Each structure stands twice: as structure tokens, then as C-alpha cells.
Amino acid sequence: MRNIADNRLFNIILLFTIIGEFLVPWILEQFYAAYNGKTMVMSALGSPQSPVRFVYNLWLIWLGGFLTYTAGAYFLSLRARFPVLAVFMLLSIGIFAVGAGLISGFFSVNESKDIITTASKIHGVGAAIGFMALLFFPLLNGIVSFKQKDIMEGIISISSFVLSLIFFACFVMGDKEQFQNTIMKYEGLWERLTLFCLYIPFIYKTMSNLIF
């Protein structure tokens, strides 16, 4: 019996979900005049002030739900050969899915960081923990790939891990007042670049399963 992670339909949905992570915000920001994708985080699209908040928050719930399923699928595909790494990968993807997906979808951040509510605090903690958890996914996937003698996927995953750390550091610095007059101020850009690098191993795996 083939693993769920190798299933063609599963990989098609995962690939389109990852594409949607960037395409959906780009489409929605066209209907939100006050939104600037370069300097504002994607979560602002789901703020109470956003005219597209319902659609974006619904998207986050889908993202969180499907990535939770993905975390389970990857765990099941690896637990026989790499039980410890399988658990860590489950936690890495699963915590991101719940924190940056489901929790962020149900609890909205405000457009202005000066407005702090209980919902925005929950959103902030969930998203932050989720991001930090997913940062380990490319590293874990790289280790698994090298153990499976897939050198190409291993190199791609480790490179993605290094780049995501660099972009995440820029993303964090973009929130600091002392960097507001530097290139670091483009917080939204750094967030998207971080996510893109974190998703590269997913993209490689889905494309490999769909092509071969």
C-alpha cells in the first residue's frame, strides 16, 4: 500500500495550497487599498479593519487544516524507518499548521500594531511559535533525504533552511523601530521570502511525486 504522502491527489492539493499561500494574499490585497504587501504582514489581511478579512481568515483555516493532515501524512510515511525524525517533523509542520494557520484564522491581528486585543495577542503567540517550529522542517527533511541517499533533495532542503533563517532574522528585525529607515522595514517582503524558503522542500517533494 502506498503512503498517503505519495498519493497523487494529495500532492496536487498540497502544491496548490502552497501556491495559494502567496496567490491568495496577492489577489486579496487588490481589494484592500490601505494594505501594503511590502511593509505589512499577510495576517493584516484578516484584521477587523480589512474588507477581505472573512476570505483571508477562511483561507488560513483551510491552510492550517490541510497542513495538519500533511503533518500526519509525512509522519506515517517516515515512522517505520526514522521514528524520531518522524515525530520531530510531525511537530514542526503540525505546530505551524495549528499556530500560524488555525489559531491565526480564528483570532485576528489588528491592522495597527498599536492596537492590542486578546485576539491579537493569541494570534501573535500562535503565529510566532508556528513560524519557529516550521523553521526546522527544511533541516529535518534534509537529514532524512541524506539518510535516504537523495543528495539533491538534501542539498535543496539544507539550503532552504539556511536561507529561511536569514530571511526570518530580517523579518524579526523589520519589527524593530531602529530598522525602520533601512531595507529591513519591508516586513511583509521578508515574511514572504521566509515562507517561500520554508515551502521549497514541500514543493520539491510534491513535484517529484507528481512527475516520477
Side-chain angles (χ1 to χ4, degrees), residues 131-196:
F131 256 86
M132 287 187 285
L134 194 64
L135 281 172
F136 292 98
F137 170 67
L139 175 62
L140 293 168
N141 194 68
I143 294 173
V144 170
S145 299
F146 282 123
K147 285 181 174 290
Q148 294 177 323
K149 309 302 181 184
D150 191 333
I151 305 303
M152 179 61 71
E153 184 174 356
I155 292 173
I156 289 173
S157 295
I158 297 301
S159 299
S160 299
F161 172 66
V162 173
L163 288 173
S164 63
L165 284 179
I166 294 172
F167 290 136
F168 185 70
C170 294
F171 174 53
V172 172
M173 287 188 288
D175 192 40
K176 309 300 180 184
E177 187 176 347
Q178 60 266 39
F179 295 106
Q180 292 309 299
N181 293 320
T182 70
I183 194 173
M184 299 301 174
K185 70 179 180 179
Y186 296 113
E187 194 175 352
L189 174 63
W190 300 125
E191 178 189 32
R192 287 163 172 79
L193 287 173
T194 302
L195 274 174
F196 178 73

Side-chain angles (χ1 to χ4, degrees), residues 108-136:
S108 300
V109 71
N110 288 288
E111 179 184 293
S112 172
K113 295 178 182 178
D114 297 328
I115 303 175
I116 301 175
T117 62
T118 300
S120 66
K121 288 180 180 179
I122 295 173
H123 178 106
V125 172
I129 294 175
F131 256 86
M132 287 187 285
L134 194 64
L135 281 172
F136 292 98

Side-chain angles (χ1 to χ4, degrees), residues 44-131:
L45 289 166
S47 69
Q49 299 78 24
S50 170
V52 294
R53 60 187 178 278
F54 176 77
V55 177
Y56 187 69
N57 287 329
L58 191 63
W59 163 256
L60 286 178
I61 293 170
W62 161 261
L63 176 73
F66 190 74
L67 286 185
T68 299
Y69 180 79
T70 300
Y74 280 12
F75 168 76
L76 292 174
S77 70
L78 294 172
R79 66 175 178 175
R81 293 184 62 191
F82 312 106
V84 175
L85 288 170
V87 170
F88 282 128
M89 191 171 289
L90 173 69
L91 292 173
S92 176
I93 303 172
I95 292 174
F96 174 78
V98 174
L102 295 173
I103 290 177
S104 295
F106 284 112
F107 298 93
S108 300
V109 71
N110 288 288
E111 179 184 293
S112 172
K113 295 178 182 178
D114 297 328
I115 303 175
I116 301 175
T117 62
T118 300
S120 66
K121 288 180 180 179
I122 295 173
H123 178 106
V125 172
I129 294 175
F131 256 86

